[in-house]
């Protein structure tokens, strides 16, 4: 038994020596010119012997249409010069998707696929390449279906090998024959859409243990799709026939697994006594039938990347959790080439596409050309090699060689992103795009987070919990997560925090829970509590564990009005509903979520409805919760009336911007600007913009303005960088974005032109004196230091306050010295009995989790009050 070796072959001579040392029959030639010869196929002339293999990018839009990265990928392939481009696996049904971002073709998005086809052909033409043959792979992911991001297997038979890996019980249902009959029609309909989109052919995907491939191995399945070879191949043959007979202008082909390397009776093309050895008797019998059906070509592959990612596809760096066979990679390549050759020689008139060359890197053309010369395959497919080096064909045809520094290094990172649920491509050679995507996917990968959770020291008096305003029992939820107990982990979170998913996305964990983690002291690497919390919440939501738990209402159940549907109001509602009370939320906007939903930029927080609807819908359905939108205190709501009509009132309304330095065209309020930008309606800011302020809102506005095209962004702040109230991570993002920081600079007013339009900001220098009431050093203006900063626009982020109309509506309440309603810090009770308040209205604008904590305290106090009344 030989051992795995990393790639260390510099040239053709070293490859020859290694082949000789291993006594392999691996063909070689030093003249790869045959790869540039054309091939007649399906009534067309394919310009060369190269095919781009169907490698999924998982970068569709929400409805399954190709996204921007999809268009970019296929444009690069077309410019690269391959004669055949085999488009990636595209689901024929939503439930057939292996990933929430997998392509999915249907009538409503076919026009976008047509644009992709046209774009691809145009790119080839612009590069001076011949029109490539375009094939779309149609798939049903079957056992590996995961359309919503969590496994939803659809299996053709039970497997004593694969079922335990997926934790499927013995009674897990199989897809029935009637469903398979209907699915045939779905494949044919998808082929018709592909023809309308302009593809030359469709591939009925039959490999890697997706549904059709699993049917081929369904020895133990009863009925017309299992047992005999005729039954097991029935679905595939009938779909191919259906496309041939019913869809004009397109041909049907397939990518076929001919050797699963999974033990009989659960594998296909395997020796019954030794699953590591192929037995091609049945695959060749099927292939001869397919050749008689006049399919124009066949794409051959082996193995199952989910079961063993390395079998037949050698990697230098293993996919996490996978085993590397105890053999030299050249042995795996030789086996793959030999199996393909057996197929090609069995049907010499049928062009066969070979695979498995990526590990050879820049030496690939010398093996591939020899394979074609011998007649062991008609075309050479490149999968991950095309990810890394999309213009490899152009280089080979022009120079006879590949550039080593551009080749795939078989690192498995592209596979890892896919397994982590991200959009995938070459992390190494296309790092500007896929490096950040890889790191983000790894950051949130469950296997990595589980390892991180296991580092928790389970402190008795946990400083991480002390750092959380909601008081989440962090060690307990981390322990449950480490034990794969998502239900318990989520229960611990929700016991203290009504909106844990929202808080995981928007709260400053580095100064709260993670800031208190002892690992900061030991290794400066705190446990990623925030990321683990987010993973728990999104998984719990998908498992339908997040809905509010409603008890039977006791006879004394109260009726509570909550004014404001932001985090504090929702939190208060959740805890009151769980005590059996009836709640009415009055919200000014048309949706719940408050500031996170309307103001926080989309790259930090997208849509509150995913979490809020999952939590609140049981209460709404049960008639315990009423939400009234478009209701504004002081306009169509009256505090006295609310106090009369309800047993208690909780005020959770937000604040508006406070101080302003004046108005002029081009001067925007930060909250208004962020709200408009998140709605896709950002006002024009020109190329030079000044943001006034140093808090999180100011930085959000600055980053948003940069993202919307501002060339020179000036953040004007009167104190030092260290004293900015914005969180550290926000300040770091601002520096990374290239903003210009004008620190120790006091804005004084604006300059305008004759038409009253903004032309600049008047600024004076400051020096820091003694601390003021905020605890920060007071900025003192330097005499005679005024200057003008010429800008096209200004965004003011100078603090928040209770707006005058709201102040008048709240006038019966007592206010504190900061102009905010006065409340008891323990109960959140206001000066009027039965009225409570929390969130920004009482703290002037703090964190989301602080608002959630206020809502919980108020709910507990309201519940105690109503019990007292009873």
């Amino acid at each position: 038994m030989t051992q795995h070796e990393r790639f260390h072959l510099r040239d053709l001579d070293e490859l020859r020596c290694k082949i000789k040392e291993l006594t392999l029959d691996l063909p070689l030639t030093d003249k790869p010119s045959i790869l540039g010869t054309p091939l007649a196929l399906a009534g067309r002339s394919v310009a060369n012997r190269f095919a781009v293999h169907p490698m999924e990018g998982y970068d569709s839009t929400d409805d399954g249409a190709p996204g921007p990265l999809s268009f970019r990928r296929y444009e690069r392939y077309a410019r690269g010069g391959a004669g055949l481009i085999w488009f990636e696996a595209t689901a024929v049904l939503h439930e057939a998707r292996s990933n929430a971002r997998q392509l999915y073709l249907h009538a409503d998005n076919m026009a976008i696929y047509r644009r992709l086809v046209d774009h691809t052909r145009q790119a080839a033409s612009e590069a001076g390449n011949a029109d490539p043959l375009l094939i779309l792979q149609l798939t049903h992911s079957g056992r590996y279906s995961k359309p919503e991001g969590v496994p939803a297997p659809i299996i053709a038979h039970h497997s004593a090998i694969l079922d335990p890996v997926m934790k499927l019980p013995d009674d897990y249902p199989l897809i029935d024959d009637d469903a398979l009959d209907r699915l045939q029609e779905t494949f044919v309909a998808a082929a018709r859409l592909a023809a309308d989109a302009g593809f030359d052919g469709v591939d009925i995907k039959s490999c890697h243990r997706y549904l059709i491939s699993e049917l081929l191995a369904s020895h133990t399945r009863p009925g017309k799709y299992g047992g005999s070879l005729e039954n097991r191949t029935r679905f595939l043959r009938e779909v191919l026939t259906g496309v041939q007979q019913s869809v004009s202008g397109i041909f049907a082909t397939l990518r076929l697994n001919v050797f699963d390397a999974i033990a009989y009776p659960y594998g296909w093309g395997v020796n019954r006594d030794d699953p590591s050895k192929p037995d091609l008797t049945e695959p060749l019998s099927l292939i001869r039938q397919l050749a008689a059906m006049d399919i124009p070509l066949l794409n051959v592959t082996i193995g199952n990347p989910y079961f063993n990612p390395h079998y037949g596809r050698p990697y230098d760096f293993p996919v996490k959790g996978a085993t590397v066979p105890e053999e030299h990679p050249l042995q795996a390549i030789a086996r793959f080439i030999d199996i393909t050759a057996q197929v090609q020689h069995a049907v010499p008139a049928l062009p066969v596409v070979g695979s498995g060359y990526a590990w050879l890197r820049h030496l690939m053309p010398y093996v591939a050309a020899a394979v074609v010369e011998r007649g062991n395959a008609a075309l050479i497919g490149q999968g991950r090699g095309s990810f890394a080096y999309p213009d490899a064909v152009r280089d080979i045809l022009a120079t006879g060689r590949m550039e080593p520094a551009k080749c795939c290094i078989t690192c498995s990172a592209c596979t890892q992103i896919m397994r982590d649920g991200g959009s995938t491509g070459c992390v190494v050679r296309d790092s500007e795009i896929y490096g950040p995507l890889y790191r983000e996917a790894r950051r949130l990968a469950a296997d990595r987070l589980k390892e991180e959770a296991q580092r928790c020291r389970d402190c008795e008096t946990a400083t991480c919990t002390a750092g959380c305003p909601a008081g989440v029992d962090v060690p307990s939820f981390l322990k449950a997560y480490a034990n794969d107990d998502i239900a318990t982990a989520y229960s611990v979170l929700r016991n203290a925090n009504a909106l844990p998913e929202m808080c995981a996305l928007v709260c400053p964990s580095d100064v709260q829970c993670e800031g208190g983690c002892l690992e900061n002291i030991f290794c400066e690497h705190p446990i990623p509590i925030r990321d683990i919390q987010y993973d728990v919440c999104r998984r719990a939501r998908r498992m339908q564990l997040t809905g509010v738990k409603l008890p039977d209402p006791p006879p004394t159940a109260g009726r509570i009005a909550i004014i404001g549907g932001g985090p504090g109001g929702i939190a208060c509602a959740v805890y009151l509903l769980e005590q059996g009370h009836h709640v009415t939320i009055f919200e000014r906007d048309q949706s719940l979520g408050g500031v996170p939903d309307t103001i926080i930029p989309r790259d930090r927080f997208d849509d509150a409805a995913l979490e809020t609807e999952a939590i609140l819908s049981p209460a709404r359905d049960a008639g315990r919760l009423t939400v009234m939108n478009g209701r504004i205190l002081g306009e169509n709501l009256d505090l006295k009336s609310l106090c009369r009509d309800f047993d208690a009132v909780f005020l959770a309304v937000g604040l508006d911007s406070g101080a302003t330095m004046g108005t002029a065209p081009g001067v925007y309020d930060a909250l208004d600007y962020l709200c408009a930008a998140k709605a896709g309606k950002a006002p024009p800011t020109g190329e030079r913009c000044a943001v006034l302020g140093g808090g999180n809102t100011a930085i959000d506005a600055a980053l948003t303005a940069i993202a919307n095209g501002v060339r020179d962004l000036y953040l004007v702040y009167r104190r030092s960088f260290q004293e900015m109230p914005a969180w550290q991570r926000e300040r770091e993002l601002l520096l990374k974005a290239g903003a210009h920081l004008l620190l120790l600079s006091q804005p004084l007013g604006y300059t305008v032109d004759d038409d009253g339009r903004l032309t600049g900001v008047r600024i004076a220098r400051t020096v820091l004196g003694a601390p003021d009431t905020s605890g920060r050093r007071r900025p003192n203006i330097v005499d005679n230091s005024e200057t003008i900063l010429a800008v096209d626009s200004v965004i003011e982020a100078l603090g928040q306050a209770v707006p005058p109309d709201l102040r008048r509506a709240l006038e019966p309440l007592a206010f504190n010295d900061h102009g905010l309603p006065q409340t008891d810090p323990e109960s959140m009770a206001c000066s009027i009995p039965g009225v409570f308040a929390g969130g920004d209205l009482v703290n002037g604008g703090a964190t989301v989790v602080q608002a959630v904590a206020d809502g919980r305290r108020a709910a507990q106090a309201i519940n105690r009050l109503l019990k007292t009344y009873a």
Side-chain angles (χ1 to χ4, degrees):
M1 181 74 72
T2 58
Q3 292 185 340
H4 183 274
E5 286 185 11
R6 296 266 301 277
F7 183 92
H8 291 297
L9 301 171
R10 287 173 293 184
D11 53 35
L12 190 55
D13 287 338
E14 289 191 2
L15 177 57
R16 282 196 181 98
C17 290
K18 182 58 69 173
I19 291 171
K20 183 176 180 180
E21 175 189 326
L22 296 170
T23 65
L24 297 174
D25 180 19
L26 194 60
L28 282 179
T29 180
D30 58 0
K31 294 178 178 144
S33 58
I34 193 174
L35 297 173
T37 60
L39 176 70
L41 196 157
R44 291 271 305 275
S45 177
V46 178
N48 53 60
R49 300 306 181 96
F50 287 105
V52 172
H53 263 157
M55 293 288 290
E56 288 143 294
Y58 295 119
D59 45 28
S60 77
T61 59
D62 290 341
D63 76 338
L69 287 179
S70 309
F71 276 80
R72 176 182 184 270
R73 180 165 57 259
Y74 288 101
E75 176 182 337
R76 282 157 58 92
Y77 292 157
R79 293 183 181 278
L84 190 159
I85 300 177
W86 208 294
F87 282 64
E88 66 200 79
T90 301
V92 297
L93 291 168
H94 175 70
E95 58 265 31
R97 300 166 85 177
S98 64
N99 181 294
R101 307 293 285 184
Q102 184 182 37
L103 296 182
Y104 160 38
L105 173 63
H106 51 86
D108 292 337
N109 64 19
M110 184 275 293
I112 303 176
Y113 283 86
R114 183 186 295 132
R115 289 209 304 271
L116 177 62
V117 168
D118 292 343
H119 185 78
T120 303
R121 296 195 191 280
Q122 180 65 28
S125 175
E126 290 174 356
N129 300 327
D131 188 18
L133 197 71
L134 306 182
I135 299 173
L136 179 65
Q137 186 174 76
L138 299 177
T139 188
H140 189 299
S141 299
R143 181 174 291 270
Y144 303 110
S145 292
K146 196 160 65 169
E148 304 296 340
V150 293
I154 298 171
I155 64 173
H157 67 254
H158 281 287
S159 168
I161 295 170
L162 298 181
D163 285 9
V165 173
M166 304 181 71
K167 300 180 181 178
L168 299 182
D170 293 341
D171 59 352
Y172 192 86
L174 306 182
I175 184 171
D176 61 37
D177 288 358
D178 288 342
L180 288 171
D181 290 342
R182 294 191 298 273
L183 187 58
Q184 284 195 37
E185 299 171 3
T186 302
F187 268 94
V188 173
R192 191 170 293 111
L193 291 173
D196 292 342
F199 289 98
D200 299 300
V202 289
D203 160 17
I204 309 304
K205 184 175 183 178
S206 307
C207 58
H208 302 155
R209 289 314 288 250
Y210 292 94
L211 183 62
I212 300 178
S213 176
E214 182 153 290
L215 282 168
L216 298 176
S218 290
H219 299 274
T220 61
R221 179 188 174 91
K224 68 177 182 179
Y225 290 111
S228 68
L229 178 61
E230 179 183 4
N231 284 353
R232 286 181 281 118
T233 61
R234 182 190 307 277
F235 185 93
L236 172 60
R237 290 183 289 104
E238 292 183 351
V239 170
L240 289 168
T241 300
V243 175
Q244 289 177 327
Q245 295 179 350
S246 304
V247 184
S248 60
I250 200 167
F251 63 80
T253 182
L254 69 159
R255 191 161 197 228
L256 177 68
N257 244 52
V258 296
F259 170 45
D260 286 349
I262 296 173
Y264 180 86
Y266 310 109
W268 155 260
V270 296
N271 183 290
R272 295 195 178 198
D273 299 318
D274 184 352
S276 69
K277 296 178 180 178
D279 180 345
L280 301 186
T281 304
E282 286 195 339
L284 289 177
S285 175
L286 169 63
I287 290 166
R288 290 187 179 98
Q289 291 184 65
L290 299 177
M293 293 169 56
D294 292 327
I295 65 166
L297 80 161
L298 174 70
N299 195 325
V300 168
T301 186
I302 64 175
N304 177 5
Y306 289 94
F307 178 58
N308 190 335
H310 297 284
Y311 204 84
R313 294 169 184 79
Y315 287 77
D316 271 353
F317 307 94
V319 177
K320 190 172 181 63
T323 58
V324 179
E326 293 183 0
E327 65 179 6
H328 193 282
L330 287 174
Q331 291 176 303
I333 294 169
R335 178 173 56 245
F336 207 157
I337 288 174
D338 176 65
I339 289 172
T340 304
Q342 292 183 56
V343 173
Q344 182 66 89
H345 290 297
V347 283
L350 177 64
V352 171
V353 184
S355 307
Y357 298 92
W359 188 85
L360 293 165
R361 303 191 189 185
H362 61 286
L363 302 177
M364 179 274 287
Y366 310 114
V367 177
V371 166
V372 175
E373 283 180 353
R374 283 192 184 185
N376 291 349
L379 291 129
I380 302 300
Q382 296 184 89
R384 49 204 164 121
S386 294
F387 263 172
Y389 194 169
D391 52 346
V393 174
R394 185 178 61 200
D395 286 356
I396 294 167
L397 298 181
T399 68
R401 61 187 296 272
M402 297 172 71
E403 293 291 339
K406 296 168 72 175
C407 290
C408 169
I409 64 170
T410 59
C411 66
S412 83
C414 56
T415 301
Q416 191 64 62
I417 302 182
M418 177 269 291
R419 289 181 163 226
D420 292 340
S423 297
T424 190
C426 185
V427 176
V428 175
R429 305 304 189 199
D430 201 3
S431 60
E432 184 176 348
I433 297 294
Y434 292 101
L437 294 175
Y438 176 86
R439 292 188 291 273
E440 178 67 8
R442 273 281 81 203
R443 181 176 73 85
L444 296 173
D447 64 292
R448 189 192 76 85
L449 293 178
K450 182 176 178 181
E451 290 178 359
E452 291 290 296
Q454 291 168 346
R455 292 198 295 125
C456 178
R457 296 173 181 265
D458 194 18
C459 304
E460 178 62 28
T461 305
T463 48
C464 52
T465 294
C468 174
V472 169
D473 184 353
V474 175
S476 291
F477 105 78
L478 291 180
K479 183 184 295 184
Y481 183 84
N483 291 328
D484 289 326
D485 187 353
I486 299 300
T488 297
Y490 184 75
S491 177
V492 172
L493 284 167
R494 269 277 280 105
N495 182 56
N497 185 340
L499 294 171
E501 186 172 353
M502 179 186 289
C503 291
L505 290 170
V506 303
C507 284
S509 58
D510 53 328
V511 296
Q512 293 180 336
C513 55
E514 290 176 20
C517 178
L518 296 187
E519 293 298 298
N520 274 312
I521 299 170
F522 296 120
C523 63
E524 296 184 322
H525 176 47
I527 294 169
I529 299 167
R530 165 192 174 125
D531 291 342
I532 296 171
Q533 178 171 321
Y534 177 56
D535 192 53
V536 168
C537 294
R538 64 178 179 173
R539 289 168 69 182
R541 174 164 49 78
R542 291 165 179 166
M543 295 164 67
Q544 299 184 339
L545 299 175
T546 60
V548 64
K549 305 298 187 294
L550 300 174
D552 290 333
T556 56
R559 296 175 65 252
I560 299 95
I562 295 177
I563 318 305
I570 293 172
C572 186
V574 166
Y575 293 115
L576 288 170
L577 290 165
E578 289 181 339
Q579 293 299 318
H581 300 294
H582 293 265
V583 173
T584 300
I585 298 177
F586 298 92
E587 165 58 36
R588 67 182 302 160
D589 294 325
Q590 294 306 307
S591 60
L592 301 179
V595 167
D597 206 43
T598 58
I599 302 296
I600 294 180
R602 201 170 295 280
D603 60 349
R604 285 178 51 211
F605 187 80
D606 190 7
D607 184 3
L610 288 174
E611 182 179 25
T612 59
E613 285 301 310
I615 291 173
L616 296 176
S617 57
R620 184 182 282 140
D621 294 344
R624 308 275 184 89
L625 171 67
T626 302
V627 177
M628 302 188 70
N629 301 104
R631 307 304 290 272
I632 301 173
L633 199 61
E635 291 187 16
N636 49 18
L637 279 181
D638 175 70
L639 182 58
K640 291 182 180 179
S641 299
L642 291 169
C643 291
R644 181 185 66 243
D645 296 338
F646 291 87
D647 298 309
V649 175
F650 178 61
L651 301 170
V653 292
L655 303 177
D656 283 350
S657 295
T660 180
M661 295 205 336
T663 61
V667 177
Y668 305 109
D669 168 71
L671 296 180
D672 291 342
Y673 176 79
L674 287 168
C675 185
K678 191 163 187 178
K681 301 175 182 178
T685 49
E687 292 188 346
R688 295 166 59 86
C689 175
V691 174
L692 311 184
N696 293 316
T697 300
I699 293 183
D700 281 344
L703 294 172
T704 301
I706 292 171
N708 280 283
V710 168
R711 185 189 65 190
D712 291 305
L713 190 290
Y714 302 92
L715 187 89
V716 183
Y717 180 58
R718 58 184 181 161
R719 290 187 170 97
S720 69
F721 183 78
Q722 197 61 35
E723 291 179 305
M724 289 175 68
W727 305 327
Q728 178 64 28
R729 74 178 186 208
E730 296 298 299
R731 286 182 274 167
E732 291 172 357
L733 288 173
L734 188 67
L735 292 173
K736 187 176 180 180
H740 311 305
L741 270 63
L742 274 62
L743 303 173
L744 299 172
S745 299
Q746 175 73 57
L748 301 174
Y750 303 130
T751 60
V752 297
D753 61 18
D754 293 340
D755 296 324
R757 287 200 58 83
L758 179 80
T759 59
V761 185
R762 294 170 37 236
I763 297 173
R765 301 295 295 163
T766 65
V767 293
L768 298 181
D772 59 17
T773 55
S774 72
R776 293 172 294 163
R777 296 176 66 188
R778 183 189 303 277
N780 298 313
I781 293 177
V782 176
D783 292 340
N784 302 315
S785 64
E786 183 176 327
T787 187
I788 296 175
L789 174 67
V791 293
D792 302 312
S793 59
V794 168
I795 301 173
E796 295 184 337
L798 301 173
Q800 299 180 58
V802 178
D805 289 347
L806 179 60
R807 174 68 185 250
R808 285 191 291 272
L810 297 175
E811 276 182 355
L813 300 179
F815 282 72
N816 60 27
D817 294 340
H818 300 289
L820 303 172
Q822 186 173 308
T823 59
D824 178 272
E826 295 301 320
S827 67
M828 312 309 296
C830 295
S831 57
I832 297 177
V835 178
F836 302 76
D840 290 355
L841 183 63
V842 301
N843 61 41
T847 61
V848 169
V849 70
Q850 182 63 59
V852 169
D854 288 353
R856 182 171 185 245
R857 278 196 294 272
Q860 292 170 335
I862 291 169
N863 188 55
R864 289 193 299 269
L865 176 68
L866 296 184
K867 285 185 176 180
T868 301
Y869 289 166

